[in-house]
Amino acid sequence: AAPAPATQPTAAPAAEQPAAPAAPAEQPAGPVKGGTIVVGLQAEPTTLDSQQISDYNSHRAAYGIYDMLLRFEDEGTNVEPGLAERWEISDDGLEYTLYLRQGVKFHDGTDFNADAVKFNIDRQIDVDHPFHNTGQFAYAEFTWGMVDRVEVVDPYTVKFVLKDKFAPFLNHLAMHPAAMASPAAVEKYGMDFSINPVGTGPFKFVRWTPGVEVVLEKNPDYWRGEPLLDQIIYRPIIEDQSRLTELESGGVNFMVNVPPDDLARIKGDSQYTVVEQAGMHTWWVAFNHTKEPFNNKLVRQAMNYAINKQAIVDNILKGTGQLAVSPLPPVVWSYTDDIQTYEYNPEKAKELLAEAGYPDGFTCDFWLPESGSGMQQPVVMGTAMQADLKAVGIDCTIQTFEWGSYLEKVIVPPDQAEFDLMEMSWIGDNGDPDNFLYILLSGEQFPPNGYNMGFYNNEEVNKLLAEARVTLDKAQRTELYVQAQKLIAEDPPWMVIDHESQIVAMSNKIKNFKLHPTGPFRFDEVWIEP
């Protein structure tokens, strides 16, 4: 082209050009790789060995490290393939054959196979197993007590042979004792495996600094696909208000248990996303049934009438929990509220105490944790109950404990239990009523075999719960559980208070997070928007 004539006007200097409006930054429409989620937990984990876990915080911190043999579906408790691709059940209901996924590696590079499955189960249930002494497997009796043996059929086929029919067995294969740990790592670390965990899951263990953080990083070779996040960090922050402060200051970007007084404000702030779900949760105060006067049904009924449970739900929990009448949450099948209930009635409480031989009341020791898994507002709730009980003549002295110490003191055999009353909560592991009523209230489930921490032992209830376990027809099981709930309500083992809603608050940049009814957090398909 010919050069422009010398008389052609030149462009104005850049500084004199009118400023063009900046183009809006394009936001990704879908999943984005990278980033870290920092979770504010209620308490320090007690172990990262999934087979030893007995509390919610530990389960949440350890969950991403492992895979289970089967997997609960997203947002529900139907089972689907996990490390086992498919399964077969014998006609007599006694043999479960699992066909395992091939090519899966533990984080240390060793192979997952049938020998690894047998090692993991035998380690929990066989007292003669060379690595049984590497931990305390509080869930083993409940999860695997019906298992006679585990057989390796071939390198990728394993068979569970049961002693008797057991209706919820498939659900048990998706619970945390069915998490597969590297046998080589257990052999290497022994008792220290709990602080050096190795699984097959979407995230690999990096470090645990007690009192500070647990750090996990993505497993780029994960068999279900590489996670989008780079890291997850779990920080124990015991006090609810401190945890909220950390969320608002950016110290964490994901937190559990928003203080009820602040929930509406956080929901109204566009910086945050609040996710809620009806909980498979129950919160109660257990009586120590081995001690007088708590072995007297009239005393337990009286104390239930003495507590203003509705006021606790309305004024302390601010609607973050639902008033409970049964140990079983309404979201679990076979729940019934057609049972004896205990509305607030202090005069009725005094009448029953007098009938039981305690017209002037009595004194007792009431144990509370400072915080903990699913414990909501344990000190405030305990203090309110202390006042209600004092009003009918029962003078309780409160003693508080750090969560880990508390569990060590209350999950003990009857002859070691020192409390009179103690607070506890439970979040269902598998969506089956057996996972509430049997493990918490069967006379066969006193610690260390289970979690009947108040040592309730009603022979009629025991028979119903045992029969329901081996009955395969769901309608028949439902009727057995309804009968059991009626008996339990009339002969109360606890002061049952509420069923908490699952609530988490997070930065609005965290995307695709879904709560699971069993409580652990699934982060392998979550991403952070830049």
Side-chain angles (χ1 to χ4, degrees):
T7 56
Q8 183 173 332
T10 57
E16 298 176 20
Q17 293 283 354
E26 288 197 16
Q27 293 297 323
V32 177
K33 290 186 176 183
T36 298
I37 289 181
V38 184
V39 179
L41 289 178
Q42 281 179 292
E44 178 83 11
T46 58
T47 178
L48 296 179
D49 180 346
S50 191
Q51 295 163 15
Q52 294 191 56
I53 283 171
S54 59
D55 75 295
Y56 215 23
N57 289 288
S58 301
H59 190 24
R60 285 172 162 169
Y63 184 78
I65 300 170
Y66 302 97
D67 293 303
M68 288 61 170
L69 291 168
L70 299 184
R71 183 180 186 273
F72 292 122
E73 65 184 352
D74 285 342
E75 301 181 276
T77 53
N78 292 323
V79 293
E80 59 187 28
L83 289 173
E85 290 185 306
R86 60 187 179 90
W87 57 89
E88 294 173 356
I89 306 171
S90 63
D91 291 342
D92 62 7
L94 296 179
E95 295 184 356
Y96 288 69
T97 303
L98 307 185
Y99 298 91
L100 306 178
R101 199 172 297 277
Q102 299 187 29
V104 175
K105 299 279 189 183
F106 289 105
H107 300 153
D108 59 7
T110 58
D111 291 329
F112 167 74
N113 52 32
D115 286 328
V117 175
K118 181 172 174 60
F119 178 99
N120 274 272
I121 307 305
D122 286 354
R123 176 192 179 218
Q124 297 174 66
I125 65 175
D126 180 2
V127 296
D128 296 322
H129 189 273
F131 295 93
H132 180 73
N133 64 357
T134 55
Q136 299 293 323
F137 306 107
Y139 251 74
E141 175 61 28
F142 175 80
T143 313
W144 310 120
M146 72 299 298
V147 174
D148 181 64
R149 62 189 183 276
V150 180
E151 298 177 354
V152 173
V153 178
D154 64 41
Y156 291 97
T157 308
V158 66
K159 181 185 294 184
F160 286 79
V161 181
L162 308 190
K163 301 169 187 173
D164 202 346
K165 291 179 289 187
F166 182 67
F169 188 67
L170 285 178
N171 294 63
H172 280 218
L173 295 174
M175 287 169 53
H176 63 79
M180 292 291 104
S182 161
V186 173
E187 292 170 5
K188 176 180 178 180
Y189 293 110
M191 292 284 289
D192 288 339
F193 179 79
S194 65
I195 56 174
N196 294 280
V198 178
T200 64
F203 294 93
K204 300 192 292 186
F205 175 74
V206 177
R207 67 179 176 274
W208 180 2
T209 306
V212 180
E213 63 184 10
V214 173
V215 180
L216 310 182
E217 66 182 11
K218 70 178 178 181
N219 174 10
D221 302 315
Y222 187 46
W223 59 270
R224 286 172 60 90
E226 180 183 5
L228 296 163
L229 297 169
D230 289 333
Q231 278 192 329
I232 309 170
I233 298 173
Y234 295 92
R235 290 183 54 201
I237 306 171
I238 293 172
E239 207 274 315
D240 288 346
Q241 205 64 49
S242 298
R243 205 178 314 116
L244 180 60
T245 300
E246 285 290 293
L247 178 72
E248 294 185 293
S249 66
V252 303
N253 54 8
F254 185 108
M255 72 167 282
V256 301
N257 290 70
V258 179
D261 288 345
D262 296 280
L263 184 58
R265 177 175 63 81
I266 295 300
K267 283 183 175 180
D269 190 327
S270 61
Q271 297 179 81
Y272 306 109
T273 300
V274 175
V275 184
E276 299 182 66
Q277 184 186 69
M280 265 195 325
H281 169 280
T282 302
W283 194 100
W284 71 91
V285 173
F287 304 105
N288 186 338
H289 289 253
T290 69
K291 290 188 173 186
E292 295 182 354
F294 310 107
N295 56 0
N296 186 322
K297 178 173 74 173
L298 294 177
V299 169
R300 300 195 304 270
Q301 289 179 331
M303 293 175 73
N304 268 280
Y305 281 117
I307 301 297
N308 192 340
K309 303 170 186 178
Q310 189 68 59
I312 291 172
V313 170
D314 292 344
N315 301 329
I316 297 175
L317 299 178
K318 303 290 179 68
T320 58
Q322 174 184 348
L323 185 69
V325 298
S326 168
L328 199 64
V331 295
V332 177
W333 60 269
S334 82
Y335 168 83
T336 181
D337 57 10
D338 183 21
I339 56 178
Q340 180 169 336
T341 58
Y342 297 89
E343 292 76 20
Y344 179 51
N345 190 337
E347 292 308 312
K348 177 73 170 175
K350 292 176 183 177
E351 290 173 16
L352 288 170
L353 286 173
E355 186 181 344
Y358 298 92
D360 300 320
F362 52 85
T363 61
C364 65
D365 291 325
F366 187 8
W367 287 12
L368 324 177
E370 296 166 355
S371 180
S373 306
M375 290 307 298
Q376 303 174 116
Q377 307 288 311
V379 176
V380 179
M381 293 166 75
T383 304
M385 286 185 281
Q386 179 190 39
D388 285 346
L389 292 171
K390 184 153 188 156
V392 300
I394 300 172
D395 191 1
C396 294
T397 300
I398 284 178
Q399 188 172 357
T400 63
F401 301 87
E402 179 275 328
W403 180 237
S405 299
Y406 187 72
L407 294 180
E408 290 177 0
K409 288 178 176 292
V410 298
I411 307 177
V412 294
D415 62 346
Q416 297 177 27
E418 299 175 7
F419 63 86
D420 295 326
L421 307 175
M422 65 95 172
E423 296 179 346
M424 188 48 65
S425 73
W426 186 262
I427 296 136
D429 299 291
N430 62 23
D432 194 282
D434 180 77
N435 186 237
F436 275 87
L437 298 178
Y438 182 81
I439 193 170
L440 298 177
L441 292 170
S442 166
E444 300 293 322
Q445 290 292 293
F446 293 178
N449 294 328
Y451 290 92
N452 183 348
M453 290 165 275
F455 318 113
Y456 179 70
N457 194 12
N458 181 312
E459 286 302 325
E460 291 181 79
V461 171
N462 292 344
K463 289 176 185 175
L464 290 168
L465 298 181
E467 184 180 350
R469 303 191 101 206
V470 299
T471 301
L472 302 183
D473 182 89
K474 190 172 182 179
Q476 292 177 27
R477 292 187 75 207
T478 297
E479 179 54 36
L480 292 168
Y481 288 128
V482 168
Q483 290 179 48
Q485 288 172 82
K486 290 180 182 291
L487 290 174
I488 290 165
E490 192 272 333
D491 178 35
W494 305 335
M495 292 182 284
V496 61
I497 305 299
D498 80 294
H499 307 293
E500 182 188 27
S501 299
Q502 268 205 93
I503 301 173
V504 298
M506 68 192 81
S507 162
N508 66 359
K509 295 186 179 300
I510 296 175
K511 304 297 181 183
N512 202 38
F513 175 79
K514 302 169 186 175
L515 281 168
H516 196 271
T518 60
F521 302 139
R522 295 181 171 182
F523 288 126
D524 47 309
E525 296 181 0
V526 171
W527 68 89
I528 299 177
E529 197 174 72

